[in-house]
Amino acid sequence: MRGKVIKKKVKGDKVYIYTRDELSGIKWITEVNKDEFEMCVKKKKEAGFEDPVMEAMIDYALFGQCV
């Protein structure tokens, strides 16, 4: 994700994924249920991804769901 900044914050039972495209300046926030996000991370880990948390963040930021 060259040219993009992505960060995660957990507040209560929600995970907020903050994304900013450095090239265009577009910013957006994706809100995900914490349990749903953790289940996605678990699936990514089982699938052998090197950084399952980042992979889950990218899925939710781009697609709004775990893919």
Side-chain angles (χ1 to χ4, degrees):
M1 286 191 48
R2 197 165 113 196
K4 301 207 182 331
V5 176
I6 186 165
K7 297 179 182 179
K8 170 183 72 83
K9 290 187 180 180
V10 179
K11 294 181 184 176
D13 65 342
K14 299 288 182 184
V15 174
Y16 296 89
I17 301 167
Y18 299 88
T19 312
R20 176 174 46 97
D21 185 319
E22 292 178 322
L23 302 174
S24 67
I26 296 173
K27 301 174 186 177
W28 67 95
I29 300 171
T30 305
E31 179 182 314
V32 182
N33 180 293
K34 185 178 176 183
D35 292 336
E36 183 180 337
F37 183 82
E38 289 174 353
M39 181 61 73
C40 183
V41 171
K42 181 179 177 186
K43 288 179 183 179
K44 299 287 183 182
K45 191 179 288 185
E46 290 171 354
F49 284 93
E50 186 176 313
D51 188 348
V53 173
M54 181 59 73
E55 292 294 331
M57 289 169 54
I58 292 169
D59 280 1
Y60 283 105
L62 296 179
F63 306 113
Q65 64 183 358
C66 187
V67 290

